[in-house]
Amino acid sequence: MAVWFVFVVPLVIMLFALFMERVETRLRNGAVREDEVTQLLEDVRPDEVRALQVSGIGRALELFRLRRRGGRAARTRQRVRM
């Protein structure tokens, strides 16, 4: 009976470690960076404030990122035209 524990316990520990690695990866990808929140609060627009109030920080940051990406794309297009 003790022989089964020798094989089962390490197997259970390895499976648990693999499961926790998947959980950690999902948490790391969904994490909000501190500098993004700081930038959002410094340069916020009314629609982002509304999204922050209604839907939370995730939606507000999503709108902020879209606005920032759009702003960069517009500036790049202007440079190309010149």
Side-chain angles (χ1 to χ4, degrees):
M1 188 69 172
V3 175
W4 286 104
F5 287 119
V6 171
F7 292 110
V8 171
V9 169
L11 183 64
V12 168
I13 291 173
M14 286 189 310
L15 290 174
F16 180 73
L18 289 172
F19 171 74
M20 290 308 294
E21 182 179 359
R22 287 182 137 197
V23 170
E24 182 183 358
T25 302
R26 288 184 181 175
L27 289 174
R28 189 179 311 124
N29 292 339
V32 176
R33 294 190 335 230
E34 182 181 346
D35 61 334
E36 285 184 323
V37 174
T38 305
Q39 288 176 353
L40 170 68
L41 294 176
E42 288 177 358
D43 187 31
V44 69
R45 288 193 175 166
D47 59 333
E48 295 162 352
V49 172
R50 202 173 329 38
L52 181 62
Q53 177 186 7
V54 174
S55 302
I57 190 75
R59 178 68 180 146
L61 277 173
E62 183 181 336
L63 290 174
F64 179 69
R65 290 174 185 149
L66 285 172
R67 179 169 56 97
R68 274 193 353 203
R69 240 183 281 144
R72 287 183 188 156
R75 279 182 262 153
T76 304
R77 275 184 253 142
Q78 287 176 354
R79 288 183 196 152
V80 171
R81 288 180 187 169
M82 290 181 170

